Amino acid sequence: MLYPIATESRVVVNLSGIWKFMTDKEVEPIEVSQPLPTNEVVAVPASFNDQTVSKETRMHSGYFWYEKEFTIAKALRNERLVLRFGSATHEAWVYLNGKEITYHKGGFTPFEVEINNYLVDGPNRLTVRLSNLLDYTTLPVGNYSEEKDENGRIIRKVDENFDFFNYAGLHRPVNIYTTPRDYIEDIVIVPNVDLAAKKADVHFSIKTAGAFDEVRVTVLDEEGKQVAQASGNDTNISIDNVQLWQPLNAYLYTAKVEGVKGGETVDVYEESFGVRKVEVSSGKFLINGEPFYFKGFGKHEDTFVQGRGLNEAYNVLDINLMKQMGANSFRTSHYPYSEEMMRLCDREGIVVIDETPAVGLFHGFGFDLSGKNANSTWSVLKTTEAHEQVIRELIDRDKNHACVVLWSIANEPASHIEGAHEYFEPLFNLARQLDPQKRPCTFVNILMATPNADKCSDLVDVIALNRYYGWYLQTGDLSKAEEETRKELLEWQEKYPDKPIMYTEYGADTVAGFHSAYGEPFSEEYQEDYYRMNSKVFDEISNFVGEQLWNFADFQTKFGIQRVQGNKKGIFTREREPKMVVRYLSNRWNNIPNFG
Ligand code: GCB
């Protein structure tokens, strides 16, 4: 699915702004033939939760409604008109002028529908019913329960099986875009680069709908100069003296794709792409033939008021802070991030580990670290279908992004429990089959799934570990934590000598401004000591290819005795003020080259 852009043949109408809003108390059915019976409003794109002063609305679990009126200019009415949601969290039923026109489940991927047949002259009423319910069939996984109150009303509850607040709503842009009746439907770009010859063969497959006499692809360089041109739905273009897309030194070509009919260009779409080679070989992660070292973060889409909604100013600031620290990468923990962020990373040369929303695949997670309930994980959870769907939708959406170098199929599943391998093997096969660029794949491993216990690491190209020695284990005892860290990393290296190893999480909750002469846990001193200890061990391990800490910034979570208005493992506060450790890490990372 192509990202909506304006071109010589396409117009984008942005429906962002103020929408009507109401939660559904499920007392009386909502009549979609009528305007929503509410005076409440919310801004789109954003989560609804933090825009209200009502605690009840903020914490609402169940169904809720959005509505917006729009008019389409007469000049556009003969075009093909497509309504597109960047995402709708987590499930959406879409009505236009009272008729259901589409449905989508899964809160982090786009979907679209043609609307010509449902439009009326004058104002059109777009109504969306959403649900933020999560259960054992959805991704992320939620612990769902319901009860009836004294009036017989159903009270629904979702206890997140993961450590971030269950923000919901229309988090990403809602657009109507036009195409001609004959149009370019999708573009798949696969660059193959001969590094020694500085030459790339770029394969384009163009999916079109309707009848074109010719499909033409023109590759333009960053100055807009033509590099090469070819014709056909399946075509190769060679680029001599190719400029590579490099981490923190991005170079983007543009593929101008034209559908031509009767000598006239009918539809035009421009897709930018980078030429780079990603491989895993002999315990190294190679980008453009050189061993790359990941320095960076696990993140969240999480800001004040907007919640999980697109916040482009924060995206820009976050990348600027990363660059200033000498970081080069992040993981989209724990769900696909906005398309706007992916496009920004392409342009800024930020390397991305692209993660599905498969988080919480651990029965009883959070209140049962002993793992008693975990034993039933793979018989209790029914997430296979949702998991296949998110892999399909994520790879379909992000396949052309140069910034994406590794797919993360899941975060912290119970990969040490019987049944895990059977669950994951087909999913890894699916991802590998679907990705036209054949990027490496991994899943992010939880601390109980040690080298002896884990059942799935044979499936991965990169061993990606979330470890909390010195925080959840050996709390406050960094010398014991150092021993455990070293011991486990050496065990992984011995067991899988050809697989690169990296940390995708390590961190310590730290209350900004809290100091301790004894370096106690939660103090800024402890956070720094904790990172110094980890760095020391990383530098001893030869197959260690990267450190992505947890977390870039403090973020909102559900309530819990371990959380003080959210998770405080950020090295920045939620406002993006640095904690003390940022100086140490900036110094370290600015002195570690991206390659070597
Ligand atoms: C983890 C999870 C992450 C949590 C983090 C923590 O292992 O992947 O979602 O926020 O630990 O801080 O506990």
Side-chain angles (χ1 to χ4, degrees):
M1 195 190 292
L2 297 172
Y3 181 75
I5 55 166
T7 71
E8 286 151 50
S9 60
R10 294 172 175 230
V11 172
V12 180
V13 179
N14 186 346
L15 299 184
S16 297
I18 301 299
W19 291 51
K20 282 171 79 171
F21 172 81
M22 63 181 280
T23 55
D24 192 338
K25 308 261 181 331
E26 296 184 64
V27 178
E28 276 168 31
I30 304 294
E31 276 302 332
V32 287
S33 61
Q34 300 300 315
L36 283 185
T38 174
N39 293 320
E40 261 185 84
V41 294
V42 283
V44 172
S47 304
F48 71 82
N49 309 78
D50 292 356
Q51 298 185 56
T52 173
V53 290
S54 151
K55 181 177 170 187
E56 192 191 345
T57 305
R58 178 174 196 261
M59 301 308 292
H60 176 75
S61 278
Y63 302 96
F64 49 101
W65 296 80
Y66 278 61
E67 193 167 84
K68 173 111 183 149
E69 284 197 353
F70 66 88
T71 305
I72 294 288
K74 279 222 172 75
L76 300 179
R77 285 292 291 278
N78 287 327
E79 296 296 289
R80 179 174 163 264
L81 290 151
V82 183
L83 170 66
R84 187 184 194 274
F85 292 82
S87 69
T89 312
H90 294 282
E91 191 175 7
W93 296 258
V94 180
Y95 307 84
L96 189 53
N97 301 316
K99 276 207 191 76
E100 183 168 346
I101 55 168
T102 194
Y103 162 81
H104 183 263
K105 191 166 181 174
F108 303 95
T109 36
F111 59 98
E112 61 180 33
V113 56
E114 257 183 66
I115 56 173
N116 294 70
N117 292 341
Y118 309 98
L119 288 172
V120 295
D121 292 335
N124 288 270
R125 196 164 38 82
L126 173 61
T127 313
V128 189
R129 175 185 187 235
L130 288 120
S131 152
N132 60 0
L133 299 176
L134 295 170
D135 60 23
Y136 288 171
T137 68
T138 62
L139 293 175
V141 175
N143 301 291
Y144 176 74
S145 59
E146 56 181 54
E147 55 189 44
K148 291 216 165 119
D149 71 6
E150 62 277 14
N151 304 316
R153 205 187 118 198
I154 301 175
I155 309 296
R156 304 178 192 276
K157 197 166 176 263
V158 173
D159 175 19
E160 295 95 326
N161 208 41
F162 47 83
D163 183 37
F164 53 92
F165 189 86
N166 187 23
Y167 281 117
L170 296 179
H171 283 157
R172 296 179 187 163
V174 183
N175 289 302
I176 295 173
Y177 70 91
T178 72
T179 74
R181 294 287 165 172
D182 299 306
Y183 62 96
I184 297 155
E185 204 179 325
D186 199 14
I187 302 171
V188 183
I189 304 179
V190 181
N192 281 307
V193 50
D194 179 341
L195 294 166
K198 287 189 144 193
K199 199 181 150 180
D201 268 322
V202 187
H203 185 83
F204 295 87
S205 13
I206 320 286
K207 198 168 163 205
T208 53
F212 290 118
D213 304 332
E214 187 194 352
V215 172
R216 194 186 298 145
V217 182
T218 310
V219 173
L220 306 167
D221 68 13
E222 279 193 350
E223 270 77 61
K225 284 208 219 76
Q226 180 172 328
V227 175
Q229 194 173 66
S231 268
N233 288 69
D234 250 294
T235 189
N236 261 308
I237 286 188
S238 293
I239 307 178
D240 291 327
N241 279 319
V242 68
Q243 300 260 24
L244 296 176
W245 186 96
Q246 291 280 22
L248 297 179
N249 190 13
Y251 191 94
L252 292 178
Y253 290 94
T254 300
K256 181 170 182 185
V257 180
E258 292 167 278
V260 182
K261 208 169 158 181
E264 298 254 319
T265 294
V266 176
D267 193 18
V268 188
Y269 190 89
E270 291 186 355
E271 177 83 327
S272 54
F273 67 95
V275 175
R276 51 106 188 88
K277 186 171 192 171
V278 177
E279 295 155 282
V280 167
S281 169
S282 310
K284 301 282 173 230
F285 193 95
L286 306 177
I287 300 185
N288 298 327
E290 302 278 333
F292 178 69
Y293 193 80
F294 293 83
K295 298 175 283 179
F297 306 93
K299 274 187 107 279
H300 267 296
E301 289 185 317
D302 174 277
T303 59
F304 285 106
V305 190
Q306 244 119 337
R308 188 140 296 119
L310 173 65
N311 192 328
E312 296 206 82
Y314 268 85
N315 285 350
V316 169
L317 173 62
D318 288 0
I319 287 181
N320 283 333
L321 290 169
M322 288 184 205
K323 286 184 170 176
Q324 188 185 37
M325 288 187 69
N328 55 23
S329 62
F330 68 86
R331 171 171 61 118
T332 70
S333 41
H334 297 306
Y335 36 79
Y337 287 7
S338 68
E339 291 161 281
E340 289 73 17
M341 184 56 149
M342 303 306 285
R343 291 166 76 88
L344 186 62
C345 290
D346 273 351
R347 182 186 167 133
E348 298 291 307
I350 297 291
V351 171
V352 174
I353 302 178
D354 206 357
E355 187 157 280
T356 72
V359 57
L361 294 166
F362 194 114
H363 189 212
F365 181 72
F367 43 86
D368 174 41
L369 284 183
S370 71
K372 238 185 327 92
N373 280 320
N375 289 336
S376 50
T377 298
W378 304 109
S379 53
V380 168
L381 297 184
K382 305 286 177 224
T383 46
T384 299
E385 205 183 306
H387 214 146
E388 286 169 359
Q389 185 194 337
V390 294
I391 289 172
R392 277 181 208 289
E393 292 184 356
L394 175 64
I395 295 180
D396 181 52
R397 192 195 76 164
D398 288 351
K399 57 186 180 284
N400 291 337
H401 285 292
C403 65
V404 176
V405 300
L406 178 63
W407 303 109
S408 166
I409 304 297
N411 180 71
E412 298 196 340
S415 63
H416 56 311
I417 297 296
E418 211 53 63
H421 197 273
E422 292 74 4
Y423 178 87
F424 275 106
E425 190 174 22
L427 297 173
F428 273 81
N429 291 342
L430 179 68
R432 291 194 167 106
Q433 174 217 322
L434 290 174
D435 181 16
Q437 295 193 1
K438 305 296 169 209
R439 295 165 180 90
C441 296
T442 192
F443 74 90
V444 168
N445 167 300
I446 194 165
L447 56 87
M448 306 77 164
T450 53
N452 282 331
D454 182 79
K455 301 194 183 311
C456 298
S457 290
D458 61 314
L459 298 171
V460 306
D461 296 301
V462 175
I463 294 176
L465 305 173
N466 291 356
R467 290 297 180 270
Y468 288 93
Y469 293 118
W471 188 253
Y472 292 122
L473 304 172
Q474 300 90 40
T475 316
D477 182 352
L478 290 175
S479 52
K480 185 78 183 120
E482 180 180 328
E483 276 172 37
E484 294 295 328
T485 304
R486 183 176 295 109
K487 180 167 154 280
E488 191 186 345
L489 284 173
L490 289 171
E491 278 170 23
W492 282 110
Q493 186 162 269
E494 195 179 308
K495 186 158 182 191
Y496 294 106
D498 288 332
K499 293 194 200 260
I501 304 168
M502 67 181 290
Y503 262 24
T504 33
E505 284 184 25
Y506 61 120
D509 282 270
T510 304
V511 180
F514 180 62
H515 291 280
S516 160
Y518 307 106
E520 291 161 284
F522 293 102
S523 68
E524 297 206 28
E525 286 76 13
Y526 189 76
Q527 191 179 34
E528 182 169 330
D529 292 344
Y530 171 93
Y531 280 111
R532 284 181 187 273
M533 176 281 283
N534 278 281
S535 306
K536 180 176 165 206
V537 183
F538 298 162
D539 294 344
E540 297 169 12
I541 308 291
S542 59
N543 284 358
F544 200 77
V545 302
E547 45 197 85
Q548 290 191 335
L549 60 79
W550 192 255
N551 186 284
F552 178 77
D554 294 345
F555 59 92
Q556 196 53 267
T557 63
K558 67 176 176 182
F559 304 136
I561 49 167
Q562 306 221 24
R563 298 291 176 259
V564 190
Q565 256 195 2
N567 186 308
K568 293 283 186 274
K569 291 192 189 70
I571 63 158
F572 292 94
T573 62
R574 206 179 182 208
E575 301 88 326
R576 274 53 175 177
E577 294 297 346
K579 296 183 191 173
M580 195 173 88
V581 70
V582 168
R583 286 195 177 188
Y584 160 68
L585 287 167
S586 301
N587 185 44
R588 170 174 169 80
W589 286 348
N590 278 305
N591 284 299
I592 298 178
N594 296 316
F595 292 104

